[in-house]
Amino acid sequence: RQTMAPLALALAALALVPAAALLPTGPRLAGRSSALGAVTGRPDATSSAAGVEWKPDSWQKLPIKQPPNYPNQEDVDDATDILSRKSPLVFAGEVRKLHEGLAKATMGNGFLLMGGDCAESFEEFNVDHIRDTFRVILQMALVLTFGGSMPVVKIGRMAGQFAKPRSEPDEVIDGVALPSYRGDIINGEDFTPEARIHSPYRMVDAYHQSAQTLNLLRAFSTGGYADISRVHAWNLDFVDQTDEGSKYRELATKVDESLRFMSAIGVDTQSSKFTQCDFYTAHECLLLPYEQALTRVDSTTGRYYDCSAHMLWVGERTRQLDHAHIHFVQGIQNPIGIKVSDKASPEEVIRLLDAVNPDNIPGRCVIIVRMGAEQIYSKLPTVIRAVQREGRNVLWCSDPVHANTIKLESGLKTRPFERIRAELRAFFDVCDEMGCHPGGVHVEMTGNDVTECLGGSVCDVTVDDLNKRYHTHCDPRLNGAQALELAFLIADRMRSRQGLPPLL
C-alpha cells in the first residue's frame, strides 16, 4: 500500500491534463473555414523594442542575423504566397492550452520536457523514427511525473525543427568553399554547388513534412499508443537491455500495480485521461519568411498566432533586442523560449523580458539556460537574482547539451555525457540556492540507437564507438538510453527537493 499510494497520486497527476492537443490538418481547414480566419485580419497593433509598429512582415525593416541568401526574390515571394494559403499546422486554442500548462509550471506546479532531433531531415522522415522519439519522450515523462508528482508538459522538437544557425557562412573542404549547410528547409547537405544553393521552395517541402508529422503525433497521442497501460510497450529494444531499461521495467511494473489498484477502487482507467496525452511541438524561430507565411489571426480574439508550431524559441545568435527575430515574436501570442548563455548579462535578460513579456504573464516566457557545466554556478545566480528582484514570471528550463559540444581531432562533434549531467546538476543546485523552481529540461535526443554523445553510465559510448552509428545531420544527440538516464537523474533530484527517497 505504501508503494502504490504515491504512485497512484503520480498517475493521477499524469492524467490531469486532458488530451487531443494536436488536431488533423488538411485542405478543408484552409482559409476562412479554419479556426483562425484569414491572414489579412488587423488586430490591434503592438509596438516593439525597435520602435517599429508590429505587423507579420514588419521584421523586414530591421537588421537580421542568420538570414538565408536566396538568389531570386520572386521565388521567395512565390513560395511564401503558397504557404500563406496553406492550412495552419496548429491552432490558437491548442496554443492557449499549452500556455495554461506552462503557466502552472511557472508557478511551480508542473515541469516542461522538450526533446527531439537537432535538425529534422527530409531524407530520414519515416513513421518509425517519429514513433520511437515519441516513445522515449513518453518514457521520460512517466519517470518525471512519478519523480516530481506533478504534470509534465510534453513538447517535441518536431514538425518544424529544420533550420539551423551556423557560426560560419561557408564550409571549406579540400580547399573548396561552399555555403554552409543550414538545414533541409534552406539547402541540402551534400557538398555540391547545386545542393548548397538556398532554395525558398524547400519551405513548402518542410511544411508538408511537418503536416504529416503532426498527424502522426496526433494519432500516437490520442489513438491508444499513449495509453498508460501500455507502459511496457514503450521500452525500445536497445534500451530494454540496459540498466536504465531494467529500472524502467521496474517502474512500469509499479504502474501496472497501481492501475489495477485504482481500477479496484472504482477509478475508470479506460477514460481518455489514462489512454491519451497532450503533446505539443516547438522549433527555433529562425527562418522568418516561413514563420511570417504561417502567421494567422485567431478569429475569436483577433490576435496573431504563429501557426507553424505551438511554441517557438529564439536562439543565442539571434536574440538582439533591436533585430528582426525578437521583433517578430513580440507580436505573436505563442509561448516564447529565449536561449540564454553565459554571455547574457542580467540587464540584457530583463530587457528581453520587457520586450517579449511586457505584461508579465505567467507561461508566456521560458528562459532556456545553456551556459556550460563550468560557467553555470557563477553566471546563473546573478541572472535569477535580477529576475526575482524585478518580480518577473519566468519558467526556468535547462538546456544541458548545447554548451557542452566539443570537436575531436577526427573532425566529429560530440557531447560528453558527464558534462551534460554536470550542467543539469548545477542547474538544480543553483535553483535550490536561489529558491526558484527548476521547471524544465530541453534536450536534443532521438529514439534511434545512435552513438553520437560520449559516455553514459548505462550506454558507455567511447570515441571508437562514435563512427558506428553517427547519423546526425547537424549536432550530436542523446540516444534513448542516455535520455532515459537523464530522466531518472532529474526525477531523483525532484524527489530530493520534496524530501522523498530515490525513485528506485
Side-chain angles (χ1 to χ4, degrees):
R1 291 179 182 175
Q2 291 177 347
T3 298
M4 289 194 293
L7 185 52
L9 291 174
L11 287 173
L14 183 67
L16 282 178
V17 184
L22 300 172
L23 300 179
T25 59
R28 294 187 179 184
L29 298 177
R32 293 185 179 274
S33 63
S34 77
L36 292 172
V39 72
T40 54
R42 296 294 183 198
D44 293 338
T46 59
S47 60
S48 77
V52 176
E53 181 180 347
W54 196 91
K55 296 179 181 178
D57 62 354
S58 55
W59 62 269
Q60 298 179 24
K61 301 176 183 178
L62 299 172
I64 185 171
K65 298 288 186 180
Q66 300 282 330
N69 185 20
Y70 294 127
N72 187 323
Q73 185 59 41
E74 290 183 0
D75 288 346
V76 177
D77 294 340
D78 183 47
T80 54
D81 181 63
I82 292 171
L83 286 172
S84 69
R85 290 182 280 109
K86 295 287 186 181
S87 305
L89 291 172
V90 304
F91 298 92
E94 301 167 6
V95 175
R96 286 192 288 269
K97 194 173 182 181
L98 170 61
H99 196 153
E100 291 172 3
L102 293 176
K104 293 177 181 177
T106 300
M107 307 313 290
N109 300 315
F111 192 86
L112 169 61
L113 171 62
M114 298 181 70
D117 276 322
C118 168
E120 293 176 278
S121 163
F122 293 163
E123 183 179 347
E124 290 187 355
F125 173 73
N126 62 74
V127 175
D128 291 347
H129 177 67
I130 295 168
R131 180 202 61 208
D132 289 348
T133 299
F134 180 74
R135 285 166 72 175
V136 175
I137 293 175
L138 285 182
Q139 285 185 288
M140 295 176 72
L142 180 68
V143 171
L144 294 172
T145 300
F146 184 43
S149 298
M150 61 177 62
V152 172
V153 179
K154 296 171 284 294
I155 300 181
R157 293 171 49 108
M158 306 167 79
Q161 181 54 22
F162 291 101
K164 294 297 293 183
R166 278 293 176 255
S167 301
E168 299 294 336
D170 295 323
E171 179 181 2
V172 180
I173 297 180
D174 296 331
V176 178
L178 291 175
S180 294
Y181 172 60
R182 297 282 305 278
D184 281 4
I185 197 171
I186 295 177
N187 60 356
E189 188 178 18
D190 291 342
F191 194 75
T192 65
E194 296 77 18
R196 293 300 175 92
I197 293 173
H198 292 193
S199 170
Y201 291 105
R202 284 177 167 268
M203 292 189 289
V204 180
D205 294 334
Y207 167 88
H208 287 297
Q209 181 169 316
S210 297
Q212 293 181 70
T213 300
L214 278 160
N215 282 335
L216 287 169
L217 292 172
R218 173 185 174 270
F220 292 143
S221 61
T222 65
Y225 193 89
D227 191 328
I228 193 69
S229 66
R230 300 187 71 254
V231 286
H232 284 287
W234 296 347
N235 219 0
L236 294 164
D237 290 341
F238 77 93
V239 177
D240 191 50
Q241 306 306 314
T242 67
D243 290 343
E244 295 304 311
S246 298
K247 289 173 67 176
Y248 178 79
R249 287 197 305 274
E250 184 179 346
L251 177 62
T253 299
K254 290 185 177 182
V255 170
D256 284 339
E257 293 173 356
S258 293
L259 287 174
R260 288 195 295 270
F261 170 76
M262 296 171 75
S263 179
I265 64 174
V267 176
D268 181 9
T269 58
Q270 297 303 309
S271 71
S272 61
K273 291 181 179 181
F274 291 89
T275 61
Q276 302 178 6
C277 77
D278 283 333
F279 195 88
Y280 302 97
T281 62
H283 61 255
E284 181 173 359
C285 179
L286 185 62
L287 186 56
L288 292 185
Y290 181 78
E291 307 302 339
Q292 175 192 325
L294 289 172
T295 297
R296 305 286 190 270
V297 175
D298 174 26
S299 59
T300 62
T301 65
R303 293 178 177 271
Y304 281 109
Y305 287 79
D306 185 339
C307 297
S308 68
H310 299 99
M311 175 180 169
L312 299 126
W313 72 85
V314 181
E316 172 75 12
R317 294 185 176 98
T318 56
R319 56 171 173 76
Q320 298 81 8
L321 275 166
D322 57 353
H323 279 50
H325 290 87
I326 287 296
H327 173 79
F328 178 79
V329 299
Q330 284 181 275
I332 58 175
Q333 301 304 305
N334 307 61
I336 301 298
I338 301 175
K339 290 286 188 85
V340 170
S341 75
D342 59 301
K343 301 180 180 68
S345 68
E347 295 76 20
E348 181 184 5
V349 172
I350 294 300
R351 289 196 298 271
L352 285 166
L353 293 175
D354 284 340
V356 175
N357 190 19
D359 296 325
N360 202 24
I361 300 170
R364 162 67 170 171
C365 196
V366 180
I367 296 294
I368 305 172
V369 180
R370 42 152 298 175
M371 293 186 173
E374 297 83 6
Q375 297 291 330
I376 193 167
Y377 282 113
S378 61
K379 301 293 185 179
L380 183 56
T382 59
V383 174
I384 293 178
R385 188 175 297 114
V387 171
Q388 290 175 330
R389 183 175 60 246
E390 297 292 327
R392 302 308 171 89
N393 290 308
V394 164
L395 178 58
W396 297 101
C397 177
S398 172
D399 171 359
V401 298
H402 273 90
N404 294 299
T405 305
I406 61 174
K407 194 169 186 177
L408 304 177
E409 291 183 2
S410 64
L412 285 180
K413 289 193 295 184
T414 188
R415 289 163 171 159
F417 188 82
E418 183 53 43
R419 289 195 188 183
I420 294 171
R421 184 164 48 197
E423 177 161 356
L424 196 56
R425 284 172 173 160
F427 173 74
F428 273 85
D429 287 345
V430 171
C431 287
D432 286 348
E433 176 189 345
M434 302 303 297
C436 67
H437 176 52
V441 64
H442 179 147
V443 292
E444 290 184 351
M445 43 75 67
T446 176
N448 295 340
D449 185 15
V450 298
T451 53
E452 297 170 1
C453 292
L454 291 171
S457 59
V458 197
C459 175
D460 189 12
V461 178
T462 67
V463 172
D464 293 335
D465 292 328
L466 289 178
N467 279 316
K468 292 180 180 178
R469 293 180 298 279
Y470 194 97
H471 302 315
T472 181
H473 287 257
C474 193
D475 291 331
R477 303 160 294 176
L478 298 172
N479 60 35
Q482 292 167 327
L484 196 56
E485 184 175 346
L486 272 192
F488 276 109
L489 173 67
I490 297 169
D492 283 341
R493 192 59 186 263
M494 294 167 76
R495 292 176 68 80
S496 175
R497 286 171 57 86
Q498 301 173 47
L500 298 174
L503 183 57
L504 294 172

